[in-house]
Amino acid sequence: GENVEQHPSTLSVQEGDSAVIKCTYSDSASNYFPWYKQELGKGPQLIIDIRSNVGEKKDQRIAVTLNKTAKHFSLHITETQPEDSAVYFCAAVDSGGSNYKLTFGKGTLLTVNP
Amino acid sequence: EAGVVQSPRYKIIEKKQPVAFWCNPISGHNTLYWYRQNLGQGPELLIRYENEEAVDDSQLPKDRFSAERLKGVDSTLKIQPAELGDSAVYLCASSPGTGYGYTFGSGTRLTVV
């Protein structure tokens, strides 16, 4: 089955700095990679996703890059703000087959200090 | 549009007692998932439904866990009897059935004492 590794487990940055979270996956059949933000007491919220036919995707201050050869993908947050503080999860799924199971990384606790 | 609705938000029960969680997915989403999230971990899939059919329940501890999705809409996840190790957040999610567009509910935090 799929295995997703996520680093770092905790990340502390100053407001305005950039934050980068990296993930690797094991199943070459995985072709959809979403990122979720989870605030305390809430369920994961999709913030950006990327499909395997794209190398990079950007949405305002958030961007995701994908390297299929190396089987890794990264989340980049620029100009961080205190409200970006949360736990971020990467995930991978083979949406082309019959298995739509999301396999999550263990999460990164991001703290943005004012 | 209402998101995925789960209830209750919190539940505290004694071990060996039964407990049930309810989920109402986004309207039109054929695929429904139950995930369990242990403290400090990412969610892990318990069961996936396509309409009313459970198509992947390989991670569901069937000796004590059961689930149903009547009429292909709402779903209930039950634990009987609960054990201390079942303490976790139980998340429900739904998607249009294409593997994309997962939406999670806020979850039910279960504490077994």
Side-chain angles (χ1 to χ4, degrees):
Chain A
E2 177 64 275
N3 181 52
V4 177
E5 299 284 341
Q6 183 172 347
H7 300 280
S9 57
T10 61
L11 179 59
S12 181
V13 300
Q14 289 300 121
E15 182 177 0
D17 288 350
S18 295
V20 180
I21 303 171
K22 299 182 179 181
C23 291
T24 60
Y25 62 99
S26 61
D27 189 349
S28 58
S30 291
N31 56 9
Y32 175 60
F33 308 93
W35 285 87
Y36 288 86
K37 176 183 180 182
Q38 188 172 28
E39 298 175 316
L40 196 63
K42 297 184 179 180
Q45 178 186 13
L46 179 69
I47 56 172
I48 195 168
D49 55 12
I50 191 167
R51 303 184 187 187
S52 59
N53 59 346
V54 176
E56 183 174 359
K57 183 177 179 181
K58 187 174 182 179
D59 183 4
Q60 298 182 9
R61 298 186 296 109
I62 296 174
V64 57
T65 59
L66 171 65
N67 183 326
K68 285 211 70 178
T69 302
K71 294 182 188 173
H72 69 71
F73 55 114
S74 301
L75 177 72
H76 305 253
I77 306 174
T78 59
E79 301 174 17
T80 54
Q81 301 167 2
E83 51 265 39
D84 294 330
S85 296
V87 178
Y88 290 81
F89 291 97
C90 62
V93 62
D94 174 11
S95 60
S98 60
N99 180 8
Y100 299 146
K101 183 177 89 170
L102 277 176
T103 300
F104 285 84
K106 292 187 182 298
T108 297
L109 174 61
L110 173 64
T111 302
V112 180
N113 302 300
Chain B
E1 174 189 85
V4 176
V5 180
Q6 290 187 247
S7 68
R9 288 297 314 276
Y10 307 92
K11 191 73 176 180
I12 301 174
I13 62 171
E14 294 182 343
K15 62 181 180 182
K16 301 185 181 179
Q17 294 301 305
V19 64
F21 315 123
W22 175 81
C23 173
N24 178 242
I26 290 177
S27 178
H29 281 194
N30 297 328
T31 308
L32 183 146
Y33 316 77
W34 283 101
Y35 280 80
R36 177 168 60 188
Q37 186 174 23
N38 292 313
L39 188 64
Q41 302 291 318
E44 295 180 333
L45 181 70
L46 291 173
I47 190 168
R48 171 170 70 95
Y49 281 93
E50 294 290 343
N51 297 305
E52 60 273 5
E53 182 182 1
V55 296
D56 183 0
D57 62 356
S58 57
Q59 303 301 312
L60 191 72
K62 298 181 183 63
D63 57 336
R64 297 183 299 107
F65 286 65
S66 64
E68 61 182 9
R69 190 184 185 195
L70 300 177
K71 301 181 181 180
V73 181
D74 295 357
S75 178
T76 303
L77 177 68
K78 299 179 181 178
I79 308 175
Q80 182 172 11
E83 298 179 351
L84 295 177
D86 296 331
S87 295
V89 175
Y90 291 83
L91 293 162
C92 179
S94 68
S95 71
T98 61
Y100 305 105
Y102 278 69
T103 301
F104 283 86
S106 295
T108 296
R109 180 176 295 277
L110 173 66
T111 302
V112 182
V113 298

Short mmCIF file of all heavy atoms in Angstrom, two decimals, chain B residues 16-59:
data_model
loop_
_atom_site.label_atom_id
_atom_site.label_comp_id
_atom_site.label_asym_id
_atom_site.label_seq_id
_atom_site.Cartn_x
_atom_site.Cartn_y
_atom_site.Cartn_z
N LYS B 16 -16.54 -0.66 27.36
CA LYS B 16 -17.52 -1.72 27.19
C LYS B 16 -18.91 -1.21 26.83
O LYS B 16 -19.79 -2.02 26.54
CB LYS B 16 -17.61 -2.64 28.42
CG LYS B 16 -16.30 -3.32 28.78
CD LYS B 16 -16.47 -4.30 29.92
CE LYS B 16 -15.14 -4.96 30.26
NZ LYS B 16 -15.27 -5.92 31.39
N GLN B 17 -19.09 0.10 26.83
CA GLN B 17 -20.37 0.66 26.40
C GLN B 17 -20.40 0.81 24.89
O GLN B 17 -19.36 0.92 24.24
CB GLN B 17 -20.61 2.01 27.07
CG GLN B 17 -20.79 1.93 28.58
CD GLN B 17 -21.95 1.04 28.96
OE1 GLN B 17 -23.08 1.23 28.52
NE2 GLN B 17 -21.68 0.03 29.78
N PRO B 18 -21.60 0.83 24.31
CA PRO B 18 -21.71 1.07 22.87
C PRO B 18 -21.74 2.57 22.58
O PRO B 18 -22.08 3.38 23.45
CB PRO B 18 -23.05 0.43 22.52
CG PRO B 18 -23.87 0.60 23.78
CD PRO B 18 -22.89 0.48 24.91
N VAL B 19 -21.40 2.92 21.33
CA VAL B 19 -21.45 4.32 20.91
C VAL B 19 -21.71 4.35 19.41
O VAL B 19 -21.32 3.41 18.68
CB VAL B 19 -20.15 5.06 21.25
CG1 VAL B 19 -18.95 4.48 20.50
CG2 VAL B 19 -20.28 6.56 21.02
N ALA B 20 -22.38 5.39 18.96
CA ALA B 20 -22.68 5.53 17.54
C ALA B 20 -22.43 6.95 17.10
O ALA B 20 -22.67 7.90 17.84
CB ALA B 20 -24.13 5.14 17.26
N PHE B 21 -21.92 7.07 15.86
CA PHE B 21 -21.66 8.37 15.26
C PHE B 21 -22.48 8.48 13.99
O PHE B 21 -22.64 7.50 13.26
CB PHE B 21 -20.17 8.53 14.91
CG PHE B 21 -19.24 8.07 15.98
CD1 PHE B 21 -18.28 7.10 15.70
CD2 PHE B 21 -19.30 8.59 17.25
CE1 PHE B 21 -17.40 6.67 16.68
CE2 PHE B 21 -18.43 8.16 18.24
CZ PHE B 21 -17.49 7.20 17.96
N TRP B 22 -22.91 9.68 13.69
CA TRP B 22 -23.77 9.90 12.52
C TRP B 22 -23.11 10.89 11.56
O TRP B 22 -22.43 11.84 11.99
CB TRP B 22 -25.12 10.42 12.99
CG TRP B 22 -26.06 10.79 11.88
CD1 TRP B 22 -26.84 9.96 11.14
CD2 TRP B 22 -26.31 12.11 11.40
NE1 TRP B 22 -27.57 10.67 10.24
CE2 TRP B 22 -27.26 11.99 10.37
CE3 TRP B 22 -25.83 13.38 11.75
CZ2 TRP B 22 -27.74 13.09 9.67
CZ3 TRP B 22 -26.30 14.48 11.07
CH2 TRP B 22 -27.25 14.32 10.02
N CYS B 23 -23.33 10.68 10.28
CA CYS B 23 -22.75 11.54 9.26
C CYS B 23 -23.76 11.81 8.15
O CYS B 23 -24.38 10.88 7.63
CB CYS B 23 -21.49 10.91 8.66
SG CYS B 23 -20.80 11.82 7.25
N ASN B 24 -23.86 13.07 7.77
CA ASN B 24 -24.67 13.47 6.62
C ASN B 24 -23.72 14.09 5.60
O ASN B 24 -23.17 15.17 5.84
CB ASN B 24 -25.76 14.46 7.03
CG ASN B 24 -26.57 14.94 5.85
OD1 ASN B 24 -26.60 16.12 5.52
ND2 ASN B 24 -27.25 14.02 5.18
N PRO B 25 -23.51 13.44 4.45
CA PRO B 25 -22.53 13.95 3.49
C PRO B 25 -23.09 15.11 2.67
O PRO B 25 -24.26 15.47 2.79
CB PRO B 25 -22.30 12.74 2.59
CG PRO B 25 -23.62 12.03 2.61
CD PRO B 25 -24.15 12.21 4.01
N ILE B 26 -22.25 15.67 1.85
CA ILE B 26 -22.67 16.73 0.95
C ILE B 26 -23.65 16.14 -0.07
O ILE B 26 -23.43 15.04 -0.59
CB ILE B 26 -21.47 17.36 0.26
CG1 ILE B 26 -20.66 18.18 1.28
CG2 ILE B 26 -21.89 18.25 -0.91
CD1 ILE B 26 -19.39 18.79 0.73
N SER B 27 -24.69 16.88 -0.33
CA SER B 27 -25.72 16.40 -1.26
C SER B 27 -25.11 16.07 -2.62
O SER B 27 -24.35 16.87 -3.19
CB SER B 27 -26.79 17.48 -1.42
OG SER B 27 -27.77 17.07 -2.34
N GLY B 28 -25.42 14.90 -3.11
CA GLY B 28 -24.93 14.48 -4.42
C GLY B 28 -23.61 13.73 -4.39
O GLY B 28 -23.20 13.18 -5.41
N HIS B 29 -22.94 13.71 -3.25
CA HIS B 29 -21.69 12.96 -3.13
C HIS B 29 -21.99 11.48 -2.92
O HIS B 29 -22.55 11.08 -1.91
CB HIS B 29 -20.85 13.48 -1.97
CG HIS B 29 -20.11 14.73 -2.29
ND1 HIS B 29 -19.08 15.21 -1.50
CD2 HIS B 29 -20.22 15.60 -3.33
CE1 HIS B 29 -18.61 16.32 -2.03
NE2 HIS B 29 -19.28 16.59 -3.13
N ASN B 30 -21.60 10.67 -3.89
CA ASN B 30 -21.91 9.25 -3.82
C ASN B 30 -20.96 8.49 -2.90
O ASN B 30 -21.31 7.44 -2.37
CB ASN B 30 -21.85 8.63 -5.22
CG ASN B 30 -22.88 9.22 -6.15
OD1 ASN B 30 -23.96 9.60 -5.72
ND2 ASN B 30 -22.54 9.32 -7.42
N THR B 31 -19.76 9.01 -2.73
CA THR B 31 -18.76 8.29 -1.95
C THR B 31 -18.64 8.87 -0.55
O THR B 31 -18.53 10.09 -0.39
CB THR B 31 -17.38 8.35 -2.65
OG1 THR B 31 -17.53 7.93 -4.01
CG2 THR B 31 -16.39 7.43 -1.96
N LEU B 32 -18.68 8.01 0.43
CA LEU B 32 -18.60 8.42 1.83
C LEU B 32 -17.53 7.60 2.52
O LEU B 32 -17.39 6.39 2.28
CB LEU B 32 -19.95 8.22 2.51
CG LEU B 32 -20.07 8.67 3.98
CD1 LEU B 32 -21.48 9.20 4.25
CD2 LEU B 32 -19.71 7.56 4.94
N TYR B 33 -16.75 8.27 3.36
CA TYR B 33 -15.64 7.64 4.05
C TYR B 33 -15.75 7.89 5.56
O TYR B 33 -16.17 8.96 5.99
CB TYR B 33 -14.30 8.23 3.60
CG TYR B 33 -14.12 8.43 2.12
CD1 TYR B 33 -14.72 9.50 1.46
CD2 TYR B 33 -13.33 7.57 1.36
CE1 TYR B 33 -14.54 9.71 0.11
CE2 TYR B 33 -13.15 7.77 0.01
CZ TYR B 33 -13.76 8.85 -0.61
OH TYR B 33 -13.58 9.04 -1.96
N TRP B 34 -15.32 6.90 6.31
CA TRP B 34 -15.08 7.10 7.73
C TRP B 34 -13.58 6.94 7.98
O TRP B 34 -12.97 5.94 7.56
CB TRP B 34 -15.84 6.08 8.57
CG TRP B 34 -17.30 6.37 8.73
CD1 TRP B 34 -18.34 5.77 8.05
CD2 TRP B 34 -17.90 7.31 9.63
NE1 TRP B 34 -19.55 6.29 8.47
CE2 TRP B 34 -19.31 7.23 9.44
CE3 TRP B 34 -17.40 8.20 10.57
CZ2 TRP B 34 -20.21 8.01 10.16
CZ3 TRP B 34 -18.29 8.97 11.28
CH2 TRP B 34 -19.68 8.87 11.09
N TYR B 35 -13.01 7.94 8.64
CA TYR B 35 -11.60 7.91 9.01
C TYR B 35 -11.49 8.01 10.53
O TYR B 35 -12.33 8.60 11.19
CB TYR B 35 -10.84 9.10 8.41
CG TYR B 35 -10.46 8.95 6.95
CD1 TYR B 35 -11.39 9.18 5.94
CD2 TYR B 35 -9.16 8.60 6.59
CE1 TYR B 35 -11.02 9.05 4.60
CE2 TYR B 35 -8.79 8.48 5.25
CZ TYR B 35 -9.72 8.70 4.27
OH TYR B 35 -9.37 8.58 2.95
N ARG B 36 -10.42 7.47 11.06
CA ARG B 36 -10.10 7.63 12.48
C ARG B 36 -8.78 8.38 12.58
O ARG B 36 -7.82 8.06 11.86
CB ARG B 36 -9.98 6.27 13.17
CG ARG B 36 -9.59 6.36 14.65
CD ARG B 36 -9.76 5.04 15.36
NE ARG B 36 -8.97 3.98 14.79
CZ ARG B 36 -9.07 2.71 15.16
NH1 ARG B 36 -9.95 2.35 16.09
NH2 ARG B 36 -8.31 1.79 14.61
N GLN B 37 -8.76 9.37 13.46
CA GLN B 37 -7.54 10.15 13.66
C GLN B 37 -7.12 10.07 15.12
O GLN B 37 -7.79 10.61 16.01
CB GLN B 37 -7.76 11.62 13.26
CG GLN B 37 -6.49 12.45 13.31
CD GLN B 37 -6.70 13.86 12.78
OE1 GLN B 37 -7.80 14.38 12.74
NE2 GLN B 37 -5.60 14.48 12.35
N ASN B 38 -6.01 9.41 15.34
CA ASN B 38 -5.44 9.35 16.68
C ASN B 38 -4.66 10.62 16.94
O ASN B 38 -4.22 11.31 16.01
CB ASN B 38 -4.54 8.13 16.82
CG ASN B 38 -5.33 6.83 16.78
OD1 ASN B 38 -6.36 6.69 17.44
ND2 ASN B 38 -4.86 5.88 15.99
N LEU B 39 -4.48 10.94 18.20
CA LEU B 39 -3.82 12.17 18.60
C LEU B 39 -2.43 12.28 17.97
O LEU B 39 -1.63 11.35 18.06
CB LEU B 39 -3.72 12.24 20.12
CG LEU B 39 -3.22 13.56 20.71
CD1 LEU B 39 -4.21 14.67 20.40
CD2 LEU B 39 -3.02 13.43 22.22
N GLY B 40 -2.19 13.39 17.29
CA GLY B 40 -0.88 13.62 16.70
C GLY B 40 -0.61 12.84 15.43
O GLY B 40 0.54 12.78 14.97
N GLN B 41 -1.62 12.25 14.85
CA GLN B 41 -1.46 11.45 13.65
C GLN B 41 -2.38 11.95 12.53
O GLN B 41 -3.32 12.71 12.78
CB GLN B 41 -1.80 9.99 13.95
CG GLN B 41 -0.96 9.36 15.04
CD GLN B 41 0.48 9.18 14.63
OE1 GLN B 41 0.76 8.77 13.50
NE2 GLN B 41 1.41 9.48 15.53
N GLY B 42 -2.09 11.49 11.32
CA GLY B 42 -2.99 11.76 10.22
C GLY B 42 -4.18 10.81 10.25
O GLY B 42 -4.10 9.74 10.87
N PRO B 43 -5.27 11.17 9.60
CA PRO B 43 -6.43 10.28 9.56
C PRO B 43 -6.11 8.98 8.83
O PRO B 43 -5.32 8.96 7.89
CB PRO B 43 -7.47 11.10 8.78
CG PRO B 43 -7.03 12.52 8.91
CD PRO B 43 -5.53 12.47 8.95
N GLU B 44 -6.76 7.90 9.27
CA GLU B 44 -6.61 6.59 8.64
C GLU B 44 -7.99 6.06 8.26
O GLU B 44 -8.92 6.12 9.07
CB GLU B 44 -5.90 5.62 9.58
CG GLU B 44 -4.47 6.01 9.89
CD GLU B 44 -3.79 5.03 10.82
OE1 GLU B 44 -4.48 4.38 11.61
OE2 GLU B 44 -2.55 4.92 10.76
N LEU B 45 -8.10 5.53 7.05
CA LEU B 45 -9.38 5.07 6.55
C LEU B 45 -9.89 3.85 7.30
O LEU B 45 -9.15 2.89 7.53
CB LEU B 45 -9.27 4.73 5.06
CG LEU B 45 -10.56 4.24 4.39
CD1 LEU B 45 -11.55 5.40 4.27
CD2 LEU B 45 -10.27 3.65 3.01
N LEU B 46 -11.17 3.90 7.67
CA LEU B 46 -11.83 2.74 8.26
C LEU B 46 -12.69 2.03 7.23
O LEU B 46 -12.65 0.81 7.09
CB LEU B 46 -12.71 3.16 9.45
CG LEU B 46 -11.99 3.65 10.70
CD1 LEU B 46 -13.00 4.19 11.70
CD2 LEU B 46 -11.17 2.54 11.31
N ILE B 47 -13.49 2.80 6.50
CA ILE B 47 -14.42 2.20 5.55
C ILE B 47 -14.82 3.22 4.50
O ILE B 47 -14.84 4.42 4.77
CB ILE B 47 -15.69 1.66 6.28
CG1 ILE B 47 -16.56 0.82 5.34
CG2 ILE B 47 -16.48 2.79 6.92
CD1 ILE B 47 -17.66 0.03 6.07
N ARG B 48 -15.05 2.74 3.29
CA ARG B 48 -15.51 3.59 2.18
C ARG B 48 -16.77 3.01 1.58
O ARG B 48 -16.85 1.81 1.35
CB ARG B 48 -14.42 3.70 1.12
CG ARG B 48 -14.88 4.40 -0.17
CD ARG B 48 -13.70 4.69 -1.09
NE ARG B 48 -13.12 3.49 -1.68
CZ ARG B 48 -13.46 3.01 -2.88
NH1 ARG B 48 -14.39 3.61 -3.59
NH2 ARG B 48 -12.85 1.93 -3.35
N TYR B 49 -17.75 3.88 1.34
CA TYR B 49 -19.00 3.50 0.71
C TYR B 49 -19.11 4.14 -0.68
O TYR B 49 -18.78 5.31 -0.86
CB TYR B 49 -20.20 3.99 1.53
CG TYR B 49 -20.53 3.14 2.72
CD1 TYR B 49 -20.00 3.43 3.97
CD2 TYR B 49 -21.38 2.06 2.60
CE1 TYR B 49 -20.31 2.66 5.07
CE2 TYR B 49 -21.70 1.27 3.70
CZ TYR B 49 -21.16 1.58 4.92
OH TYR B 49 -21.46 0.81 6.02
N GLU B 50 -19.57 3.35 -1.62
CA GLU B 50 -20.02 3.87 -2.90
C GLU B 50 -21.53 3.68 -2.90
O GLU B 50 -22.03 2.56 -2.97
CB GLU B 50 -19.38 3.09 -4.07
CG GLU B 50 -17.90 3.27 -4.19
CD GLU B 50 -17.48 4.66 -4.64
OE1 GLU B 50 -18.32 5.41 -5.16
OE2 GLU B 50 -16.30 5.00 -4.45
N ASN B 51 -22.23 4.81 -2.79
CA ASN B 51 -23.68 4.76 -2.56
C ASN B 51 -23.92 3.95 -1.28
O ASN B 51 -23.36 4.28 -0.25
CB ASN B 51 -24.39 4.19 -3.78
CG ASN B 51 -24.19 5.09 -4.99
OD1 ASN B 51 -24.47 6.28 -4.95
ND2 ASN B 51 -23.66 4.52 -6.07
N GLU B 52 -24.71 2.89 -1.33
CA GLU B 52 -24.97 2.18 -0.08
C GLU B 52 -24.07 0.96 0.11
O GLU B 52 -24.19 0.24 1.10
CB GLU B 52 -26.44 1.75 -0.01
CG GLU B 52 -26.89 0.82 -1.12
CD GLU B 52 -27.36 1.59 -2.34
OE1 GLU B 52 -27.25 2.83 -2.37
OE2 GLU B 52 -27.86 0.94 -3.28
N GLU B 53 -23.15 0.74 -0.83
CA GLU B 53 -22.29 -0.43 -0.77
C GLU B 53 -20.95 -0.12 -0.13
O GLU B 53 -20.26 0.82 -0.55
CB GLU B 53 -22.07 -1.00 -2.18
CG GLU B 53 -21.21 -2.26 -2.19
CD GLU B 53 -20.96 -2.76 -3.60
OE1 GLU B 53 -21.45 -2.13 -4.56
OE2 GLU B 53 -20.26 -3.79 -3.73
N ALA B 54 -20.56 -0.93 0.86
CA ALA B 54 -19.24 -0.81 1.46
C ALA B 54 -18.23 -1.49 0.55
O ALA B 54 -18.22 -2.71 0.43
CB ALA B 54 -19.22 -1.44 2.84
N VAL B 55 -17.39 -0.70 -0.11
CA VAL B 55 -16.47 -1.26 -1.11
C VAL B 55 -15.06 -1.44 -0.59
O VAL B 55 -14.23 -2.08 -1.22
CB VAL B 55 -16.46 -0.40 -2.39
CG1 VAL B 55 -17.82 -0.43 -3.06
CG2 VAL B 55 -16.06 1.02 -2.08
N ASP B 56 -14.75 -0.85 0.57
CA ASP B 56 -13.44 -1.04 1.18
C ASP B 56 -13.60 -0.93 2.68
O ASP B 56 -13.73 0.15 3.21
CB ASP B 56 -12.44 0.00 0.67
CG ASP B 56 -11.03 -0.21 1.24
OD1 ASP B 56 -10.84 -1.15 2.04
OD2 ASP B 56 -10.13 0.57 0.91
N ASP B 57 -13.64 -2.06 3.35
CA ASP B 57 -13.73 -2.06 4.82
C ASP B 57 -12.58 -2.87 5.42
O ASP B 57 -12.70 -3.40 6.52
CB ASP B 57 -15.07 -2.60 5.29
CG ASP B 57 -15.30 -4.05 4.87
OD1 ASP B 57 -14.44 -4.60 4.14
OD2 ASP B 57 -16.34 -4.62 5.25
N SER B 58 -11.49 -2.95 4.69
CA SER B 58 -10.37 -3.79 5.12
C SER B 58 -9.73 -3.31 6.41
O SER B 58 -9.08 -4.08 7.11
CB SER B 58 -9.32 -3.87 4.00
OG SER B 58 -8.87 -2.57 3.65
N GLN B 59 -9.85 -2.01 6.72
CA GLN B 59 -9.24 -1.46 7.94
C GLN B 59 -10.22 -1.36 9.10
O GLN B 59 -9.85 -0.85 10.16
CB GLN B 59 -8.66 -0.07 7.63
CG GLN B 59 -7.65 -0.05 6.50
CD GLN B 59 -6.47 -0.96 6.78
OE1 GLN B 59 -5.90 -0.91 7.86
NE2 GLN B 59 -6.11 -1.79 5.81
#
